[in-house]
Amino acid sequence: RKEVEQDPGPFNVPEGATVAFNCTYSNSASQSFFWYRQDCRKEPKLLMSVYSSGNEDGRFTAQLNRASQYISLLIRDSKLSDSATYLCVVSPSGTYKYIFGTGTRLKVLA
Amino acid sequence: EAQVTQNPRYLITVTGKKLTVTCSQNMNHEYMSWYRQDPGLGLRQIYYSMNVEVTDKGDVPEGYKVSRKEKRNFPLILESPSPNQTSLYFCASGGGDQPQHFGDGTRLSIL
């Protein structure tokens, strides 16, 4: 089993739709969680950190479920510019190691 | 402005010809990493460094070397490159409970 798993997609959604991605992780000692966005073979860019209580940044909401060992990303009112690959990142406790999922591809259609 | 700078951005070379990809950060981070990204495999860590003169292997270290003589620089060295090292490489700075910042990437083709 992979340490971090994501559905590769693609998720094709119309503009204005709400879309959600999940990411599961296997190491229960994982401490830090992030969502990154990557555009077509460019560098990954931080979208948001994921906090235990859940957090929101504009149209984006991230949730952490430690019991079931997954994190989620919800995008509301999708824009064409949201089309990208979304990478889930997990960092185990006591390490500086980052473990990346292979990403979920989102296409927002006009 | 916080930056991670990699060079070169693109390189085509031949098997066995030693090459170095440089990486520099201006954020005074102790932790730096190198990743390679291949289709279907995501980003895989090659080496990381927790501070000057402290480096360790990541998940795919074979065929690579690194050094960390100064805090800001973390070069990736391919002593004898082979075609299976053709990939997209990213240097990153920062880590742990803080986000990592990535360089623009280096597209490396080894013929």
Side-chain angles (χ1 to χ4, degrees):
Chain A
R1 184 186 170 187
K2 289 182 182 175
E3 289 185 86
V4 178
E5 291 201 69
Q6 295 183 251
D7 182 338
F11 285 58
N12 296 324
V13 302
E15 264 186 298
T18 295
V19 62
F21 312 131
N22 278 349
C23 164
T24 57
Y25 61 94
S26 60
N27 185 347
S28 60
S30 295
Q31 179 79 5
S32 303
F33 307 89
F34 307 93
W35 282 104
Y36 277 73
R37 170 194 169 127
Q38 186 176 28
D39 294 287
C40 201
R41 304 285 272 173
K42 294 194 174 178
E43 79 276 19
K45 291 185 178 176
L46 178 69
L47 181 65
M48 56 199 305
S49 302
V50 185
Y51 302 122
S52 295
S53 54
N55 47 301
E56 192 173 304
D57 183 1
R59 298 181 293 108
F60 300 86
T61 300
Q63 297 277 357
L64 167 63
N65 186 317
R66 283 193 187 274
S68 300
Q69 294 184 205
Y70 74 86
I71 66 173
S72 64
L73 177 68
L74 181 79
I75 305 175
R76 288 180 298 278
D77 188 23
S78 300
K79 312 288 184 195
L80 294 175
S81 57
D82 293 333
S83 297
T85 297
Y86 290 84
L87 304 172
C88 166
V89 184
V90 172
S91 182
S93 176
T95 78
Y96 283 84
K97 192 174 177 61
Y98 264 38
I99 304 168
F100 284 79
T102 52
T104 296
R105 197 158 154 226
L106 171 67
K107 291 184 182 177
V108 181
L109 308 171
Chain B
E1 182 192 346
Q3 271 192 324
V4 179
T5 304
Q6 287 179 236
N7 279 297
R9 293 289 312 279
Y10 304 91
L11 179 63
I12 301 173
T13 187
V14 295
T15 299
K17 186 175 180 184
K18 181 180 177 180
L19 66 93
T20 299
V21 186
T22 63
C23 175
S24 179
Q25 53 101 356
N26 64 358
M27 292 165 279
N28 202 36
H29 286 155
E30 293 179 345
Y31 189 80
M32 297 182 74
S33 293
W34 275 103
Y35 296 90
R36 61 178 287 174
Q37 187 173 31
D38 302 289
L41 296 177
L43 278 100
R44 294 179 293 167
Q45 193 176 48
I46 302 170
Y47 267 94
Y48 63 93
S49 169
M50 289 183 287
N51 214 326
V52 175
E53 302 292 2
V54 182
T55 64
D56 208 349
K57 296 177 181 179
D59 298 317
V60 288
E62 294 78 21
Y64 304 95
K65 283 176 58 176
V66 292
S67 70
R68 189 91 181 274
K69 293 184 175 14
E70 309 164 278
K71 200 172 191 178
R72 62 181 290 122
N73 295 324
F74 188 42
L76 178 70
I77 303 154
L78 285 72
E79 293 270 3
S80 183
S82 62
N84 65 9
Q85 293 177 297
T86 292
S87 188
L88 176 59
Y89 291 86
F90 289 106
C91 178
S93 180
D97 59 354
Q98 298 301 313
Q100 287 190 327
H101 300 266
F102 286 82
D104 289 341
T106 296
R107 290 186 186 275
L108 183 58
S109 292
I110 300 165
L111 307 176

